Amino acid sequence: VMVPSTTALLDTRIRAGAGILTIDDYHGGTLFIVSPNGRTFLNDVMSAAFIQMMNGRLEVVDSSFDRLRARGNTANFVFQHDRARQIEVTTVSGSIVYDNGTFDPGLARFESASGSIAIGVAAGAQIAARSGDGHVYSMWDRRTPIDQRGDNDVNATIAGGGPVVNAVTGRGNVYLYD
C-alpha cells in the first residue's frame, strides 16, 4: 500500500494471528503500530512513533525519531543505525538491542523485567546500566572511562560524554559497547 507523503497520522494494527508489517520511507507524521504477534520492520522512518508489540519482533533500521515509545510483553526489539531524541523501550521478557545508534539530548531509557539489553553507541553518551540479578558487561574499542560498582552497576562516559542513556533490567544482563 502506498501512503501519500502528506499523511499526518499512520495507524497500523494487526488484529489477530502473526503477520508481517513493513514500513519504508515514512517521513514527517506520527506512526502508531499495534501487533499482538508477528514481525514489524521499519526502514528509513523519520517521525514520532508509538509501538506496542505483545509478542514477536520489531526491527528498526536507519531511522530517526523525535519521540519513540515501544513496549512489549515477550517481544524482541532490535534497532540498527538509528537516531533518537526521546526513546523509551520497555519489555517484560524480551531482549532489547540498540546497535550503532546515536542519541540527541532527551529521554533515553531501555528497560526489561527479565530480558537482556545491549547498547552499542556510535557517538558521545553517558550510560547508566543496572541489573538486579544479572551482570553488566562492557567492551570498548576506544578509551572509555567507567565507574563500576559491582557486577551489576556500571556508568560509562563514551567519546567524552553526551546525552544520558539508562539501561535497566531486573534479571537479564546488560551489554555495553561502542
Side-chain angles (χ1 to χ4, degrees), residues 10 17 21 33 38 40 44 50 56 58 64 92 108-109 125 132 136 168:
L10 180 58
L21 172 66
I33 297 172
T40 299
D44 189 28
F50 301 91
L58 170 70
S64 179
V92 175
R109 183 168 180 81
V136 177
V168 180

Side-chain angles (χ1 to χ4, degrees), residues 49-107:
F50 301 91
I51 303 167
Q52 180 170 304
M53 303 282 299
M54 293 311 295
N55 305 300
R57 183 178 179 93
L58 170 70
E59 292 185 37
V60 181
V61 179
D62 295 327
S63 296
S64 179
F65 299 95
D66 285 330
R67 172 83 171 113
L68 172 66
R69 173 70 173 104
R71 64 183 185 171
N73 185 23
T74 60
N76 293 308
F77 297 98
V78 178
F79 301 89
Q80 297 177 37
H81 307 22
D82 297 313
R83 181 196 66 81
R85 184 169 55 87
Q86 293 185 17
I87 182 169
E88 187 174 10
V89 181
T90 58
T91 182
V92 175
S93 62
S95 61
I96 302 168
V97 176
Y98 194 87
D99 185 43
N100 199 23
T102 59
F103 300 93
D104 291 343
L107 171 71

Side-chain angles (χ1 to χ4, degrees), residues 37-50:
N37 294 300
R39 300 181 85 164
T40 299
F41 300 96
L42 304 179
N43 182 47
D44 189 28
V45 171
M46 294 176 63
S47 71
F50 301 91

Side-chain angles (χ1 to χ4, degrees), residues 1-4 7:
V1 174
M2 181 70 95
V3 177
T7 303

Side-chain angles (χ1 to χ4, degrees), residues 115-172:
S116 292
I117 301 170
I119 307 290
V121 180
Q126 299 174 66
I127 298 181
R130 314 272 180 277
S131 177
D133 293 335
H135 298 282
V136 177
Y137 300 100
S138 62
M139 183 174 72
W140 309 106
D141 287 336
R142 55 188 165 204
R143 185 176 176 175
T144 302
I146 62 169
D147 176 17
Q148 186 163 356
R149 299 178 202 123
D151 289 340
N152 61 352
D153 187 349
V154 172
N155 292 325
T157 303
I158 300 148
V164 176
V165 179
N166 291 290
V168 180
T169 181
R171 293 191 301 269

